[in-house]
Amino acid sequence: MARPTESGAASARKGRDLRLDFFRGLALWFIFLDHIPANWLNEFTIGNLGFSDAAEIFVFISGFAAAAAYGSVMQRRGYVIAVARVLRRVWQLYVAQIVLFVMATAQIAYVAAKFKNPMFAEEMRIVDYFVEPQVTLLQALLLKYHPAELDILPLYIVLLLSFPVILWGIARRPLVTLAVSAAFYAAVHHFHWNLPGYPPDTVWYFNPLAWQFLFVTGAVCGFAGETVRKWLPGPRIMLPICVVYLVFALLVVKTWMVPQLDALMPNWLGEVLYPIDKTGLDFLRYLHFLALAYVTVHFVRAHTRFLRWRIANPLVVCGQHSLQVFCVGTFLSFAGHWILVQANAGKVMQLGVSFAGLALMTALAYVLAWYKVVESAPAAGATPKTAPKRGAAAE
Amino acid sequence: MSARHLVAIAALLHGATALAADAPAATDPCEIPAYFHYLTDELPHVRQAVTRGETLRVVVVGSASTAGAGVTTPAAAYPAQLALDLGKRLGSERVTVAAKAKPGQLAADMVKEFKTDVIPTKPKLVIWQTGTVDAIRGVDTDAFADTLIGGIDLLHRAGSDVILIDMQYNPYSSTMINLEAYRKQMTWVSQVRDVFLFRRYEIMQYWHDNQILDLGATDKAVQGRTADFVHACIGQLLTDAILSTPELANGAK
């Protein structure tokens, strides 16, 4: 049914690109650290180096990986089977979101009962949303209500739900699909479209209608990377542009953190740049991520030895089980934060809790990898490294 | 201007050391690292009033914390403490501080009050505490920034200087409320409009992290003492910021 493009077929033949797993694992680690607010280690995560943060890495790589995985299923077994697989994944994500919602609710309820400080009565009004559980639970099940830090899976769910359409497009005309996505992104910004949230009159913090642009960009790169590469100017032009932009972004971000640097930021430039909206995936954030990705991909080649070193392996394995690791990471960040707050802990303990959390996430990933090996053992001992069989795709 | 840039470049070069050398002097319990004190705007209307010996009229607009949530007596709330400290420095007859605080107010609600209750009193300085309620209610972050800019422009046109105050810190709310996005908007607005942002969130977090106080305490007596301490220090730090330019230091004598 679908005619694979040259490059789509070529990328499938090469087998799994470990860079995807490695950087997705890194994004998961950053998201875990960022979700423990009382932690000095999160000063070293990617969000402090420029406009974009771990969310962009996660969304782009999700698009890239979805295109590579479901694109290959489509080539081997047809569009319908690929769509069925996508929908199964969407259901898994939905269940994961509801589990995390229950955990977050338990935490909020516990804090509200224990921490009755009149000084923060206004902040604790957040608990009022649970005065009417029948409303809030329904809104959560409808994915309209997202407690703080639980807003990225709903985004991913909507993006993946739209993936059958995206896949249909990129399998035929990848660059046209990208152009349609960009036009839609522009329209979303022009008309201020977003999905409705809860409480009433609010919108989604991660606007899927805007973030689809990065997801589709990832998918196009994942399915037709060679086409994109041919279309771009060479590294002699691209690399300096990217580096200059990254340095510029770094300097701007530093003026937010160190008030003395404020004078370096002329008002007119602020007027041009701000607000650098995360909700609508501001174009500056989009460009910043692409610049970062370009420079990274330029220096970290697909078969770089480093990715096969033992030291890189924990990140690679985490990246290969991203959904489960993400969910457990979210739970562990709640738990880790709770421990740090109870102990009013210093930097050493913050370090200890962070490493313990990362170690548990990694341990889970290794257990899951082991399960996969065990379960597929009767079927000719296939391991995740095995390249997909490509017989049917030639039809 | 160029001197300001030199200072900024020096700060950039020494950025890391400035951030690392944040141990407080033992003398003043309110002491915070120097980089929190940095005032981008010279508060021209305040300076004019002080140097000419006119009455310095200050209005503080805000929500629950400005109303003194958690302090043991109303006089301990930071607007009252600010009046006390400014009075000590300038003479109490030369200062008036009026607090217009309503718990649960959005930034947009407060802008409406600017027109009816604040601007008619012709303040030289408006201190605007906001952000918490907007974050809880999930107001669109761009709309929040537009509201701030609209409010600041309104006050500037009416001849008032403006200081923004961001949210309170406590170790629990940051996992329950997405304050980060709103704090960023406040930083950007303060940059674009050259308004001093009093970084209350980071200052309180600094006190908490350095165990100067415990903002996670569950004991009632400790909670009350902590709130009084925080409000007294905010009053003092705001006074220092308002009277920080050299002309004012002389004018205040």
Side-chain angles (χ1 to χ4, degrees):
Chain A
M1 174 174 174
R3 271 190 302 124
T5 62
E6 272 268 315
S7 45
S11 66
R13 198 178 303 124
K14 272 182 264 165
R16 195 161 180 124
D17 187 341
L18 286 183
R19 290 178 297 182
L20 277 186
D21 300 326
F22 179 82
F23 289 109
R24 181 143 67 169
L26 198 63
L28 290 168
W29 284 27
F30 285 156
I31 290 174
F32 167 75
L33 294 175
D34 282 335
H35 281 184
I36 307 180
N39 186 359
W40 63 278
L41 269 187
N42 64 27
E43 284 168 27
F44 300 99
T45 58
I46 197 84
N48 294 311
L49 301 178
F51 302 143
S52 68
D53 61 29
E56 272 89 353
I57 306 181
F58 189 76
V59 169
F60 177 88
I61 294 186
S62 295
F64 194 108
Y70 301 116
S72 133
V73 172
M74 184 177 72
Q75 287 164 6
R76 282 181 290 127
R77 307 188 54 189
Y79 182 70
V80 174
I81 301 288
V83 170
R85 293 260 177 101
V86 170
L87 293 180
R88 185 176 66 186
R89 185 70 171 164
V90 168
W91 172 247
Q92 290 171 348
L93 292 169
Y94 179 78
V95 171
Q97 169 70 9
I98 300 305
V99 170
L100 288 178
F101 174 79
V102 173
M103 286 178 191
T105 309
Q107 186 211 20
I108 290 174
Y110 194 77
V111 169
K114 190 164 186 279
F115 181 61
K116 286 198 162 72
N117 188 343
M119 187 178 187
F120 302 111
E122 189 158 78
E123 283 83 347
M124 291 302 144
R125 293 291 298 273
I126 196 79
V127 178
D128 290 359
Y129 290 131
F130 296 92
V131 171
E132 295 182 291
Q134 77 282 11
V135 177
T136 311
L137 287 178
L138 183 65
Q139 298 296 335
L141 288 169
L142 292 171
L143 296 183
K144 283 173 79 179
Y145 177 57
H146 320 137
E149 302 186 356
L150 291 190
D151 26 30
I152 196 151
L153 275 188
L155 166 71
Y156 191 20
I157 289 169
V158 173
L159 293 179
L160 209 54
L161 206 53
S162 67
F163 193 69
V165 179
I166 298 168
L167 184 63
W168 186 85
I170 57 176
R172 284 163 181 77
R173 295 287 174 95
L175 291 181
V176 172
T177 309
L178 186 60
V180 170
S181 167
F184 187 55
Y185 169 85
V188 164
H189 275 258
H190 184 77
F191 296 109
H192 301 286
W193 292 332
N194 195 342
L195 298 183
Y198 178 81
D201 302 326
T202 61
V203 289
W204 284 34
Y205 181 59
F206 283 101
N207 182 357
L209 308 177
W211 280 75
Q212 54 79 23
F213 185 30
L214 185 60
F215 187 71
V216 172
T217 307
V220 169
C221 293
F223 198 83
E226 285 306 314
T227 315
V228 175
R229 192 191 298 271
K230 273 180 220 148
W231 189 71
L232 282 176
R236 275 208 191 147
I237 299 170
M238 288 299 290
L239 208 54
I241 293 176
C242 290
V243 169
V244 166
Y245 184 64
L246 291 174
V247 170
F248 168 74
L250 177 69
L251 289 176
V252 170
V253 166
K254 287 300 155 202
T255 70
W256 310 340
M257 297 166 184
V258 185
Q260 281 88 338
L261 300 181
D262 202 75
L264 289 178
M265 184 74 198
N267 287 7
W268 64 264
L269 185 59
E271 297 269 9
V272 172
L273 295 181
Y274 301 147
I276 304 175
D277 183 25
K278 188 168 185 176
T279 294
L281 177 68
D282 196 284
F283 198 55
L284 294 172
R285 292 185 67 116
Y286 177 83
L287 289 180
H288 184 262
F289 171 77
L290 289 189
L292 200 61
Y294 188 90
V295 172
T296 306
V297 169
H298 184 81
F299 289 107
V300 184
R301 294 286 175 191
H303 297 285
T304 307
R305 280 239 192 92
F306 156 76
L307 294 171
R308 301 197 180 274
W309 288 0
R310 213 174 273 170
I311 197 170
N313 201 250
L315 282 166
V316 170
V317 177
C318 280
Q320 283 168 347
H321 302 89
S322 58
L323 177 61
Q324 295 92 333
V325 171
F326 173 81
C327 292
V328 166
T330 305
F331 169 74
L332 288 173
S333 66
F334 288 152
H337 180 68
W338 186 258
I339 292 168
L340 290 177
V341 167
Q342 293 303 310
N344 198 0
K347 290 188 173 179
V348 177
M349 188 154 170
Q350 290 172 18
L351 199 66
V353 166
S354 302
F355 276 104
L358 295 176
L360 284 170
M361 286 161 68
T362 308
L364 171 86
Y366 276 105
V367 169
L368 290 170
W370 175 79
Y371 265 114
K372 216 182 244 179
V373 172
V374 170
E375 287 187 353
S376 61
T383 68
K385 271 186 255 170
T386 312
K389 290 205 179 81
R390 300 216 358 91
E395 288 163 17
Chain B
M1 272 307 273
S2 67
R4 248 175 62 172
H5 283 98
L6 282 177
V7 170
I9 290 160
L12 177 65
L13 293 173
H14 292 279
T17 42
L19 285 168
D22 54 6
T27 48
D28 183 0
C30 298
E31 184 66 37
I32 49 170
Y35 63 90
F36 285 126
H37 287 298
Y38 194 75
L39 198 59
T40 50
D41 186 32
E42 289 91 357
L43 303 177
H45 297 96
V46 171
R47 187 177 55 209
Q48 198 179 48
V50 172
T51 49
R52 286 183 185 173
E54 295 166 7
T55 303
L56 177 62
R57 277 193 298 275
V58 181
V59 176
V60 189
V61 184
S63 58
S65 62
T66 301
V71 294
T72 52
T73 67
Y78 80 86
Q81 293 290 310
L82 172 69
L84 212 65
D85 287 331
L86 279 174
K88 274 187 209 152
R89 299 272 293 271
L90 298 173
S92 56
E93 71 290 349
R94 285 175 56 196
V95 182
T96 68
V97 177
K100 298 196 185 299
K102 278 190 203 144
Q105 278 202 118
L106 295 168
D109 299 331
M110 297 190 225
V111 172
K112 279 181 208 141
E113 301 231 323
F114 289 169
K115 292 174 201 158
T116 54
D117 287 10
V118 176
I119 290 170
T121 68
K122 297 196 187 322
K124 298 292 177 199
L125 172 65
V126 175
I127 299 175
W128 187 8
Q129 173 262 312
T130 189
T132 309
V133 180
D134 290 77
I136 290 174
R137 296 242 209 115
V139 170
D140 179 65
T141 52
D142 274 4
F144 174 66
D146 290 343
T147 303
L148 291 180
I149 287 179
I152 290 167
D153 288 350
L154 200 65
L155 295 168
H156 278 167
R157 277 200 302 274
S160 305
D161 297 329
V162 180
I163 290 178
L164 282 177
I165 300 183
D166 65 4
M167 299 76 156
Q168 302 191 105
Y169 172 84
N170 77 66
Y172 297 107
S173 51
S174 49
T175 53
M176 292 163 32
I177 313 168
N178 183 3
L179 296 176
E180 175 76 16
Y182 296 83
R183 291 206 295 125
K184 258 191 189 158
Q185 293 285 7
M186 293 185 82
T187 308
W188 296 336
V189 167
S190 77
Q191 282 193 343
V192 171
R193 284 296 183 268
D194 273 341
V195 162
F196 177 57
L197 172 66
F198 184 80
R199 296 170 178 247
R200 180 169 63 162
Y201 185 93
E202 286 172 49
I203 290 169
M204 287 174 71
Q205 185 175 17
Y206 170 82
W207 287 328
H208 181 80
D209 287 350
N210 288 280
Q211 271 128 23
I212 293 166
L213 44 77
D214 179 8
L215 291 167
T218 49
D219 179 83
K220 286 278 162 254
V222 175
Q223 288 179 347
R225 272 206 307 278
T226 306
D228 287 353
F229 173 92
V230 167
H231 280 255
C233 286
I234 289 173
Q236 184 189 318
L237 292 169
L238 280 172
T239 304
D240 291 346
I242 293 166
L243 302 180
S244 63
T245 58
E247 298 100 296
L248 292 195
N250 295 331
K253 293 278 155 63

